[in-house]
Amino acid sequence: MRFQRPRGTQDLLPAQAQRWQRLDASMRHTLEAYGYGEIRTPVFEETQLFVRSVGSETDIVQKEMYTFNDRRGRSLTLRPEGTASVVRAYLENHLGREAGVRRFYYLGPMFRYDRPQAGRFREFFQVGAEAIGSGDPEQDIEIIDLLSMLLHDLGLKDLEVEVNSVGHPGCRQAYESELRAALERERGKLCATCGTRIEGNPLRVFDCKNEACRGVMSRLPLLRNHLCDACETHHATVLAGLARLGIPHKENPMIVRGLDYYTRTAFEVHYPPLGAQSALGGGGRYDGLVEACGGPPTPAVGFSAGIERVLFALEQTSAEAPVEPPIVVLPLGDAARVPALELARELRAVAPTAVDLSGRSLKALLRSAGRGGAHVAVILGDKEMTRAEVTVRDLLAGEQETSPRTGVTAAVQALLQRHGGEA
RNA sequence: GUGGACGUAGCUCAACCGGUAGAGCCCUUGGUUGUGGUCCAAGUGGUUGCGGGUUCAAGUCCCGUCGUCCACCCCA
């Protein structure tokens, strides 16, 4: 094998690509039903866009970006997530001039230089939605509702929605200094990584799986209990709204998302059978991001979900559908090859049709047609050619008939319909 | 980035303590001059991921490298 795909990337073969298409269609349908319109932005952006929006202290920026210089020495980066680009496009195209909330969705590849493992890739696909221009808690509810409906419409069950509030910069700052103080007191009991987290991002300590750190955790103050009145009210409204809409969820005060821009609401959706990479999606409110990107102060909320993981979760239950076309044309002999192509053109008006040009024996041709799941074989050989006929073989019933060349589409159509044809 | 497991035919996998690579499926052909999905028979297919080392001898042991998987980390 001479070449192989880059580490952490995948080839999508037809059977899987077809499932992908269905999922894609279902998600677009739901997204558009909620009033979100697709936005397509470049796959790469100026590096600084991600550094500023995602946050220079995050893992994404510090070690996971595909950054390169183009021929003029500009630093560009393959997008590691979608929100930054949407915000950039929102500002660049002056979409905020129109009053009210703008709703966008996107679907496409993202890139992170992570170490691959099950459910984690270097090129992966995300679907995401952003509602820009509303700071109301009801908008948070809509976004969470949208994500859970998106997954629900695909047939996914047993999802766990977890919600938290990380406060606004004001109450978070006050809380963080309190947290630092508490951590300093327990410093000796913490693991090495958590020791360094105290200065940089003390909230991350809550992510630690270390036994000792977990013990300390129970004695730490929770951000959840240090929200200012406004954030507290906002959070309570979100929770009440989810309950009212019948969206099962639980509060998880430990949720600390990997991007710095989140304010107030943060949430994740998990599918536990996935194992270590069980997060299907997540998101939250980012009231400061538009301003940080050079725009006017503009509140916003959004989510993103990983398509591979959704697909994987779906695989547990869904059955494989045949990919091969229901009609196959089998030319016998060189003289029949081009006429077979012509014949196939007509048959495509009835159902997807393939031509087997491998030139093997009829026995072999029929065998592969049957294996491939075709319903009808249309045989075109010397005998048929001279009589201006074709042989139409029903591969499911094992019967065949000859039909005038001119009546072939009608004959095939009748046959497919007899089988409860899908045409 | 850290730790561990693994990599043998197109696919799924075997091969003892190091002794010169095998099965099932698939594919091809024949049984049937142009009739499949069953059956019978025969056949094609391998630089054992790649590179080096130890050894009379390496799929097997050692080192490196690439890749996959698992866990950490992080998230989607």
Side-chain angles (χ1 to χ4, degrees), chain A residues 32 37 72 95 228 243 270 274 325 369:
Chain A
E32 282 166 23
R72 278 294 183 86
L95 301 179
C228 66
H270 289 266
L274 248 43

Side-chain angles (χ1 to χ4, degrees), chain A residues 47 64 104 145 159 170 172 177 198 221 262 266 283 332 342-343 421:
Chain A
T47 299
E64 295 174 4
F104 308 98
D145 178 42
L159 299 172
R172 190 155 58 193
S177 50
I198 296 179
Y262 286 110
L332 301 177
E342 199 176 17
L343 178 57

Side-chain angles (χ1 to χ4, degrees), chain A residues 70-148:
Chain A
D70 72 4
R71 287 167 184 271
R72 278 294 183 86
R74 306 173 186 92
S75 180
L76 301 173
T77 294
L78 300 183
R79 63 183 180 191
E81 59 101 41
T83 304
S85 298
V86 174
V87 168
R88 193 226 79 231
Y90 172 87
L91 291 172
E92 186 165 351
N93 296 287
H94 310 103
L95 301 179
R97 285 191 60 83
E98 211 172 287
V101 184
R102 302 298 305 250
R103 299 171 223 260
F104 308 98
Y105 78 87
Y106 58 87
L107 207 54
M110 305 292 162
F111 304 85
R112 288 185 204 170
Y113 195 90
D114 248 3
R115 184 142 163 188
Q117 85 186 57
R120 191 165 78 185
F121 306 91
R122 289 184 171 182
E123 181 194 35
F124 59 101
F125 286 73
Q126 278 190 338
V127 57
E130 317 288 352
I132 304 178
S134 166
D136 298 327
E138 291 76 15
Q139 192 61 57
D140 305 28
I141 299 167
E142 185 192 78
I143 282 283
I144 296 172
D145 178 42
L146 173 55
L147 175 56
S148 77

Side-chain angles (χ1 to χ4, degrees), chain A residues 157-372:
Chain A
K157 306 230 167 10
D158 306 321
L159 299 172
E160 287 180 0
V161 179
E162 302 187 342
V163 188
N164 190 26
S165 174
V166 296
H168 79 289
C171 49
R172 190 155 58 193
Q173 227 163 29
Y175 164 74
E176 277 186 15
S177 50
E178 192 170 326
L179 179 60
R180 278 202 185 89
L183 286 170
E184 284 298 350
R185 285 196 294 276
E186 311 264 12
R187 184 161 215 135
K189 296 180 188 140
L190 294 172
C191 70
T193 12
C194 285
T196 65
R197 281 169 170 155
I198 296 179
E199 283 76 35
N201 192 347
L203 282 171
R204 285 238 167 278
V205 173
F206 286 110
D207 274 342
C208 194
K209 269 78 180 177
N210 182 291
E211 278 299 325
C213 298
R214 284 204 165 275
V216 171
M217 245 178 253
S218 54
R219 294 191 296 277
L220 295 175
L222 287 178
L223 174 52
R224 180 66 192 77
N225 302 326
H226 287 69
L227 296 177
C228 66
D229 289 348
C231 287
E232 181 61 47
T233 307
H234 186 98
H235 188 51
T237 309
V238 170
L239 292 175
L242 292 177
R244 173 70 185 273
L245 291 183
I247 299 170
H249 63 280
K250 58 185 184 187
E251 281 197 76
N252 179 355
M254 302 301 182
I255 291 183
V256 181
R257 309 228 70 230
L259 294 79
D260 278 357
Y261 52 61
Y262 286 110
T263 55
R264 292 187 166 168
T265 307
F267 61 92
E268 290 181 355
V269 176
H270 289 266
Y271 184 69
L274 248 43
Q277 314 297 333
S278 70
L280 292 185
R285 176 161 283 289
Y286 48 94
D287 289 342
L289 183 58
V290 175
E291 191 174 5
C293 289
T298 309
V301 223
F303 76 78
S304 69
I307 298 193
E308 290 84 353
R309 289 185 190 178
V310 171
L311 215 46
F312 188 83
L314 239 30
E315 269 170 27
Q316 321 293 67
T317 47
S318 72
E320 201 91 3
V323 191
E324 302 296 325
I327 308 176
V328 180
V329 178
L330 307 178
L332 301 177
D334 290 346
R337 293 164 70 85
V338 173
L341 293 172
E342 199 176 17
L343 178 57
R345 272 194 179 177
E346 294 170 33
L347 289 169
R348 288 187 185 113
V350 179
T353 304
V355 183
D356 191 331
L357 293 168
S358 64
R360 297 121 88 210
S361 68
L362 179 58
K363 178 179 178 168
L365 293 176
L366 281 169
R367 192 179 341 154
S368 1
R371 286 247 166 79

